[in-house]
Structure formats: C-alpha cells, structure tokens
Amino acid sequence: MEDLFLKANKIVEENNETPPKDRYRLNYHLMPSKGLLNDPNGFIFYRGKYHIFYQWNPFACEHGSKFWGHFVSDDLCDWKEIEPALTPDTKYEKNGCYSGSAFEHNDELYLFYTGNVKHSNGSRDSYQCLAKSKDGIKFEKLGPVIDGPPQGYTKHFRDPKIWKKENTWYMVIGAQTKDEQGRVLLYTSIDLKKWEYKKEIAGSQINGLSEFGYMWECPDFFELGGADILLVSPQGIEENGDKYNNLYQTGYFIGDYGWKNNKFNHGEFFEMDRGFEFYAPQTTIDSQGRRLLFGWMGMPEMDDEPTKKDGWIHAMTLPRELDYKNNKIYQKPVEELKKLRKNKIEYHEIKVKEELSLDGIEGDSYELIIEMSAIEGRSGIRVRTSETEKTDIYIDVENKKLIFDRNQSGEGYRGIRKCDLERVDRLKLHIFMDRSSIEIFVNDGEEVFTSRIFPSKKSQGVVFYSLEACKLDKIRYYKI
Ligand code: FRU
C-alpha cells in the first residue's frame, strides 16, 4: 500500500525547496503547497512556538480525506511548514482526520479531532480521537475516546474544542439533532479517556433562539474580558438584509456561563466577519494572555476559484487578536505583523474631491492605513485598479453603510457585502492586500471584511475618491 504520509510530506518538502511562483500565490498568508486547505485546527502556543494545523487534502483541489497540515512559528510572522501531523490511514478516520483542537498535558502536545468514516450506503460515523506528541512534530495516535453522539443526535458530530478549568477537562462539539437543529454539546472528563456528556449549551431553537440552522460546526468557547463567548459556524441560516449573506455563517454569542448548572445565558448572534470568505475560525490563548484567532479564508462548497489551475485552493486569514469591549468583539491584526513592513510612505491632511492617487501608494502586497474625516457624499478607496478592474470600498453616507464591492475585481466570484456604521463622517480602514486576498479592519477592528479577489497582475493602482468631499487626515502605507 502506498504510504499516504510520505506522499503528502513529499509535497511539503518540494514546496519548501522550490516554492512555486504562480500569480495568485500569497506573499505573507498561510496557504497549502498543493491541494485544498480548509479549517485552521489545533492552534496553540507550545514550548515557545506557535503551532497552527489545517484541514488539508494534499492530492486534489476538492474536499476529501483530510490530513492535518502543520505550520510552526516563533513569532506568528515567519512560518515554516513541517511534516503533516495526522494522516487519515486508520479505519476510524479513513475518510478524514477532521477538525479539532490542541492542548498541552504533562509537557506533551495533544490533538483532539474527529475521525470521519463514510460508508458505501451513504451513512457515516464520527469518532472523537486523541493523538499526542513529545516533540510537537511526530504524533502517536491514541484512538477514539468517544464513539458517537449521545441519543437523539445524528452522526454530524464533530470538531471538538478542548480546554482545562481547575481539574476538569471540558469539550464543546458541533452537533445536529435528529430533527436537524444545529447544536453545541458540552462534555467533561477527568482523565481525558472517559468523557461524560453534560448538556446542550446552545443551538437552534434553544436558549431563546428561534430556528437557527441545521448544523453548527467548529464551536469554540472561551472567556474574553469578563464575558463568556461561544464562537461557532452555523449552517442553514436565512439571509436577512445585509446579514448572513454568505452560504454559511460564522459568528459569536456573548453571555454568561453558569459553571454549576452548565447553563449558558446568551444574547444574539453577531457575525464575526462581513466579507465573502471567512469560516470555521479557531482561537487560542498564548503565553502573553492574548486571545488569538485564525480563520479559514474560504467557504465550504465555494470551490470555483482560479488558483485551481495552479494546483491549490484557499488560504488562512492573518492571525488576529481579539478584544471584548462595547458589548462586542474587536479584532486586530497581531502586533508581530509590523515586522513585515517595508518602505513606509506617509501623507497627511489631503482634501479629496473626485479622484486622487498618491505617489508610491500602489501594488499587490501591502498594508495601508487610512484615516478619513469630513466625509460628505459617497467616499472611499479603490484598490487593485487598472483600466478594466477595481475593488471598491466606500461609505454610503445616506444609508450609513460601508460597502465592499468585488464585482469588477477580476476573476473569481463576484458580489457586494455591506455593514452598518454608526458614524459616516469619519472612517478608519486598515487594509492588508496580499496578491489574491484582502482583509479590511474597519474602525480599529469593530468590523472586518475578509475576501479573496483575483485581479490581473497589471491591476496595481490605488485611487482615493469622493463624489462630494472628504479629507484624508493620515495615510500610512507599507510595502510587504
Ligand atoms: C468545516 C468542516 C468541519 C469538518 C471539516 C472537514 O469547514 O466541515 O465541520 O470537521 O470541515 O474538513
């Protein structure tokens, strides 16, 4: 039998030796050397290094039998891809080592993930499995510790996220009831081997929520700034105005968890990101106590992207730090990303009427921070412009909205995404452009738009514009 691990690892090694140079390849984001990447998994700071694993099909640009690919970094900035951590070569995971999380125990690194098994009659099984490593590189599989869901749930039972509180291990997991309501279940364990099902902590049609999706994937549960946060990716939510416009959603509930009665009192669902490609994020807490997040810059079933011609598809977002204030989560790019900055260009106090380009501000790989005020009428910025292409980000003053428009961005999916703004007379945009991706942090992370765009190489322009008037108070640009 061919050795799947060796075959996948060869792809990693070849990519490290001779990185390909295709035009949409990202310059400073994590992406697969070949094949398909989806969810970030096992994000952890272990023995002085950050580890991020990812759902990986090394052999095709489609979803299939997933491996766990593995990147390691000292600083969240320079990453090295090492050998895959998990290979789907055992019967309880023969159709994929699906998503999960990592934790440290007795100085060893453990992975807790879903073994996915599909049967020829279309049915499936899901096992929750453990693996561990002494060096953080080579993992020994310990096999399943949970064989299937509790009574009343389907086999859509996956993506365990684990943490320790006092002497107890806790786990949240995505689930679906037999009548197709998405739920998050909570388990506990004392010894990591025997797991006890406690209760549903949130889901469609419970805790005051109405019908809210048929399956909830990739839950994450943590404390942030005094609040308990459930981050989750529900499937099957109806579009509602500018909300829930993507095929599947990712967002969070803020609440208060009663550890004695295991009851989660929570409020409404907030969408985490307003762009087109953002799903299944996962957080960790690092040695500085920061709550950090990676998301998947992709969407299930939206796999018609032009990079497939070059043998790869999808990527990871930049690492972000989360903060809780004003009853919401703020996201900002991690501090360490400043190391990527080259050639600073700065401008101050520029009036914009109609259109304006600024010397030196252009390209396809940069960081751009724009502080605008005195905004009257539609005002914004177009990036990756040429005669035929543009990606437009602007304020719609009348409707108090920020709009991201990729209808003329180039190849790939098109469309518009919007979010409400409280104030439209001023705006701060922090943009990371990376060849075929864009992340826009709005007003210091109050909202974020994450999307892929596929402009041609010649589309390198940046245009500031206003249909009436606005002022650019401060512009900072760094080539990356
Ligand atoms: C989310 C997801 C998870 C699953 C994994 C499989 O994108 O469907 O629920 O574990 O991807 O790759």
Side-chain angles (χ1 to χ4, degrees), residues 88-137:
D89 56 6
T90 314
K91 63 175 188 315
Y92 55 80
E93 57 189 21
K94 76 176 177 56
N95 299 104
C97 300
Y98 272 13
S99 286
S101 52
F103 59 94
E104 189 179 336
H105 179 52
N106 293 338
D107 205 33
E108 292 182 312
L109 181 57
Y110 280 72
L111 307 180
F112 200 7
Y113 64 100
T114 300
N116 180 47
V117 176
K118 287 186 178 157
H119 301 291
S120 49
N121 64 1
S123 67
R124 64 161 79 204
D125 279 308
S126 359
Y127 300 95
Q128 311 315 320
C129 310
L130 276 176
K132 71 169 181 172
S133 167
K134 287 189 191 324
D135 60 3
I137 301 170

Side-chain angles (χ1 to χ4, degrees), residues 186 198-199 256-265:
L186 179 83
K198 287 286 180 198
K199 70 189 289 180
D256 195 3
Y257 197 78
W259 291 99
K260 294 227 163 65
N261 60 3
N262 290 312
K263 181 143 181 43
F264 185 40
N265 285 315

Side-chain angles (χ1 to χ4, degrees), residues 38-39 55 63 66 98-99 158-159 217-218 279-280 296 300:
N38 58 305
D39 315 354
Q55 286 287 286
H63 291 270
K66 300 289 167 59
Y98 272 13
S99 286
R158 54 178 172 265
D159 314 332
E217 296 190 311
C218 300
Y279 195 68
W296 171 29

Side-chain angles (χ1 to χ4, degrees), residues 332-345:
K332 60 176 181 208
V334 296
E335 277 294 306
E336 286 90 333
L337 293 170
K338 289 184 178 159
K339 285 195 200 164
L340 298 171
R341 294 175 168 178
K342 291 181 228 155
N343 316 5
K344 178 174 182 181
I345 301 176

Side-chain angles (χ1 to χ4, degrees), residues 62 70 90 167 171 177 180 186 192 199 219 224 258 274 279 300 313 319 321 329 338 340 343 363 371 383 447 472:
E62 56 193 50
H70 189 182
T90 314
N167 284 323
M171 174 191 84
T177 62
E180 298 195 358
L186 179 83
L192 293 170
K199 70 189 289 180
L224 188 69
R274 312 309 300 253
Y279 195 68
I313 182 167
E321 183 181 347
I329 293 182
K338 289 184 178 159
L340 298 171
N343 316 5
E371 290 165 63
V383 294
E447 301 281 1
L472 303 174

Side-chain angles (χ1 to χ4, degrees), residues 19-242:
K21 292 202 170 64
D22 51 276
R23 64 177 167 151
Y24 294 129
R25 195 151 283 265
L26 298 161
N27 186 22
Y28 55 94
H29 283 76
L30 296 176
M31 53 172 283
S33 16
K34 272 206 162 54
L36 176 143
L37 168 152
N38 58 305
D39 315 354
N41 294 154
F43 189 18
I44 192 167
F45 184 75
Y46 171 69
R47 286 202 209 149
K49 289 190 191 300
Y50 293 94
H51 293 253
I52 184 80
F53 304 82
Y54 64 95
Q55 286 287 286
W56 185 31
N57 180 2
F59 311 128
C61 291
E62 56 193 50
H63 291 270
S65 205
K66 300 289 167 59
F67 289 61
W68 276 38
H70 189 182
F71 293 100
V72 184
S73 170
D74 290 327
D75 60 2
L76 293 167
C77 231
D78 285 329
W79 292 90
K80 182 165 169 45
E81 181 158 22
I82 61 170
E83 61 184 59
L86 297 174
T87 301
D89 56 6
T90 314
K91 63 175 188 315
Y92 55 80
E93 57 189 21
K94 76 176 177 56
N95 299 104
C97 300
Y98 272 13
S99 286
S101 52
F103 59 94
E104 189 179 336
H105 179 52
N106 293 338
D107 205 33
E108 292 182 312
L109 181 57
Y110 280 72
L111 307 180
F112 200 7
Y113 64 100
T114 300
N116 180 47
V117 176
K118 287 186 178 157
H119 301 291
S120 49
N121 64 1
S123 67
R124 64 161 79 204
D125 279 308
S126 359
Y127 300 95
Q128 311 315 320
C129 310
L130 276 176
K132 71 169 181 172
S133 167
K134 287 189 191 324
D135 60 3
I137 301 170
K138 293 216 176 294
F139 288 84
E140 175 201 346
K141 289 181 188 163
L142 304 175
V145 289
I146 301 175
D147 281 345
Q151 283 276 321
Y153 298 88
T154 72
K155 298 287 174 70
H156 287 283
F157 175 61
R158 54 178 172 265
D159 314 332
K161 175 82 200 276
I162 189 169
W163 71 98
K164 196 176 190 183
K165 192 174 157 70
E166 282 137 28
N167 284 323
T168 305
W169 292 99
Y170 289 84
M171 174 191 84
V172 282
I173 186 160
Q176 180 185 57
T177 62
K178 290 231 157 108
D179 56 356
E180 298 195 358
Q181 302 298 313
R183 296 283 157 87
V184 173
L185 310 185
L186 179 83
Y187 280 70
T188 60
S189 174
I190 300 298
D191 60 5
L192 293 170
K193 290 186 203 118
K194 205 174 149 289
W195 286 87
E196 193 185 333
Y197 168 54
K198 287 286 180 198
K199 70 189 289 180
E200 296 176 324
I201 66 164
S204 174
Q205 294 190 335
I206 58 170
N207 297 4
L209 260 191
S210 52
E211 184 97 21
F212 212 70
Y214 57 81
M215 171 64 194
W216 285 23
E217 296 190 311
C218 300
D220 193 348
F221 196 53
F222 52 88
E223 201 259 1
L224 188 69
D228 293 315
I229 309 284
L230 174 68
L231 178 61
V232 67
S233 296
Q235 301 186 316
I237 299 178
E238 295 280 311
E239 183 168 303
N240 177 3
D242 298 332

